[in-house]
Amino acid sequence: MPSSDAPSTTALNGCKLILGVTGSIAAYKTAPLVRLFKKAGAEVRVLMTESAERFIPALTLGTLSGHTVHTEIFPEHDPDSWTEHVSLGLWADAFVIAPATAQTVAKLAHGFSDNMLTATALSARCPILVCPAMDLDMYQHPATQANFEQLRSFGYEVMPAEHGELASGLEGPGRLPELPAIAARVAALIDGTASDPGQSSSLPPNALSGTQVLVTAGPTEEPIDPVRMLTNPSTGTMGFALAEAAAAYGATVTLVSGPTHLDTPPGVTRVDVRTAAEMHEAVQSRRHEADLVFMAAAVADYTPAHPADTKQKKDDGPLTLTLERTPDILHTLGQHKRSGQVLVGFALETDNARANAQSKRIRKNLDWIALNNASEAGSGFGTGTNALTLFGPNDHEHSIATAPKRTVAEALVTHVVRHTPALQPSAAS
């Protein structure tokens, strides 16, 4: 099966990008990022801070981009080019700062222009995307978070840092976002499908601290006999990404998963099940404590009524199975939803998608439903990407553009939390 990890970046074809590189160890990743942009058809100009050159040579990025890398406002080799920061700011369709250190984020937030990168940012009239990379405590420090909010108030787009092992040996948020996710966000900015200017694209660290989150993921397997079963192609990637995103925001997360080959996300408690009945039992026994539920599993609607105890031998005639309905886990959750509990379901549709999803939300008493149209490229089972349309209370509708599932999951969690009063910090206090 071909890899689908890279989202569509067709909006980058023919566009003009500035890539700003700052002094983080993640700067080495900018070489493949330049290649990714170029492969998508973009023209790339690179700006570097002095510290960035400690991690990757300007010559490398200049060779890959095909243009001289700018590091100084007043270059000695060309003293007449001191207005280059202005012309570049007018030239670009988008300005990407990756990696963005805490130092550069602080400078951008407070209008400093003491190097080529920050001066160009002040001159730019195009969308600016900031991709942080720094150590855990620096990222979570209130000053850094306040600087992110200041940038968002200017209309900058700020991607959340990835959760994982950091260069210091600590583990947590602080890693540079994945390169395909950065490319997808740039494409969305250019295509006009990114978040509105001034609207935060991520939540503060520990935004879900004290919140119990329950997530289901993966397929179920319904046995025909000891060696045969009914199942579906779900990999569980979307549900695992949701669990990881919620845990990164400080939630206590329980992940009920059907059979998958995925590793358990950091900080997540995993409960493995096989059948729809087992998933139903696991969810119902844990629903009382859950403040937020994401039902992302692809649960079988039918199961063999009388599975055989021994392997059934094939013969020349047809095989006839009698199927019976499996428990409707989501409907049961909706029927017993407690006050303040938030239910998010998924609808995988191929036709009449919007009407079917909206009907399902009302019928099953859900707060939100995420429509996943399997007939669209980059969506459905077995892909590394996804695209969702989210329907909520009061005819609320929100689209999440095609991107890697981790990016889509973070966007989904963020949007649900920001638009659900019961999940706001004031509601929990």
Side-chain angles (χ1 to χ4, degrees), residues 42-67:
E43 182 179 355
V44 183
R45 304 290 182 95
V46 179
L47 310 179
M48 297 180 70
T49 65
E50 181 180 352
S51 296
E53 293 187 86
R54 294 175 178 267
F55 297 98
I56 185 168
L59 179 60
T60 299
L61 298 181
T63 301
L64 292 175
S65 67
H67 296 283

Side-chain angles (χ1 to χ4, degrees), residues 12 35 38 42 47 61 66 79 88 124 128 159 184 197 209 211-212 221 230 233 294 328 387 390 429:
L12 298 181
R35 284 188 176 275
K38 295 277 287 183
L47 310 179
L61 298 181
L88 278 173
I128 297 180
M159 290 189 74
S209 179
T211 303
Q212 298 278 344
E221 295 178 349
L230 302 177
F294 289 99
D328 191 328
L390 192 61
S429 60

Side-chain angles (χ1 to χ4, degrees), residues 84-367:
E84 191 74 10
H85 61 288
V86 177
S87 56
L88 278 173
L90 297 174
W91 168 82
D93 296 313
F95 189 166
V96 187
I97 303 172
T101 60
Q103 171 81 339
T104 293
V105 167
K107 288 182 177 183
L108 293 170
H110 296 282
F112 282 55
S113 57
D114 59 346
N115 60 46
M116 187 64 176
L117 190 157
T118 55
T120 305
L122 280 178
S123 301
R125 297 183 181 179
C126 61
I128 297 180
L129 175 66
V130 177
C131 305
M134 61 195 73
D135 204 51
L136 169 65
D137 296 304
M138 299 174 72
Y139 181 73
Q140 293 184 331
H141 195 282
T144 304
Q145 291 300 313
N147 289 334
F148 288 147
E149 289 302 321
Q150 184 66 54
L151 293 180
R152 291 177 182 122
S153 74
F154 296 156
Y156 290 27
E157 187 87 0
V158 181
M159 290 189 74
E162 293 281 350
H163 187 286
E165 185 176 347
L166 305 172
S168 65
L170 298 176
E171 183 171 313
R175 291 174 61 89
L176 182 71
E178 296 295 329
L179 303 190
I182 294 174
R185 189 65 67 90
V186 178
L189 279 171
I190 293 172
D191 202 31
T193 56
S195 61
D196 295 332
Q199 178 181 328
S200 174
S201 57
S202 61
L203 299 170
N206 300 319
L208 290 175
S209 179
T211 303
Q212 298 278 344
V213 177
L214 178 62
V215 182
T216 66
T220 60
E221 295 178 349
E222 309 302 321
I224 297 172
D225 62 27
V227 297
R228 299 183 181 91
M229 62 189 175
L230 302 177
T231 188
N232 60 67
S234 172
T235 62
T237 306
M238 191 68 214
F240 275 63
L242 286 166
E244 182 176 8
Y249 284 129
T252 301
V253 182
T254 300
L255 173 63
V256 178
S257 175
T260 78
H261 298 291
L262 300 175
D263 293 329
T264 306
V268 172
T269 299
R270 178 171 172 175
V271 178
D272 288 314
V273 298
R274 182 188 179 197
T275 66
E278 290 173 359
M279 183 169 286
H280 177 76
E281 181 180 353
V283 168
Q284 299 311 319
S285 66
R286 292 166 174 82
R287 64 179 171 83
H288 302 284
E289 295 79 17
D291 303 301
L292 174 59
V293 180
F294 289 99
M295 286 292 297
V299 183
D301 293 323
Y302 293 90
T303 186
H306 305 290
D309 294 328
T310 59
K311 178 183 176 182
Q312 301 300 289
K313 299 296 183 181
K314 63 181 179 182
D315 54 32
D316 294 333
L319 173 65
T320 301
L321 294 176
T322 300
L323 303 179
E324 61 184 13
R325 281 296 308 269
T326 58
D328 191 328
I329 304 173
L330 195 53
H331 181 70
T332 304
L333 284 172
Q335 284 184 316
H336 297 91
K337 183 170 66 171
R338 63 171 171 78
S339 176
Q341 189 175 56
V342 179
L343 302 183
V344 185
F346 278 72
L348 181 64
E349 303 288 346
T350 58
D351 57 281
N352 297 323
R354 295 172 61 88
N356 288 340
Q358 291 170 317
S359 172
K360 182 176 181 179
R361 187 183 81 82
I362 300 301
R363 191 172 67 254
K364 300 198 177 185
N365 194 27
L366 309 179
D367 298 278

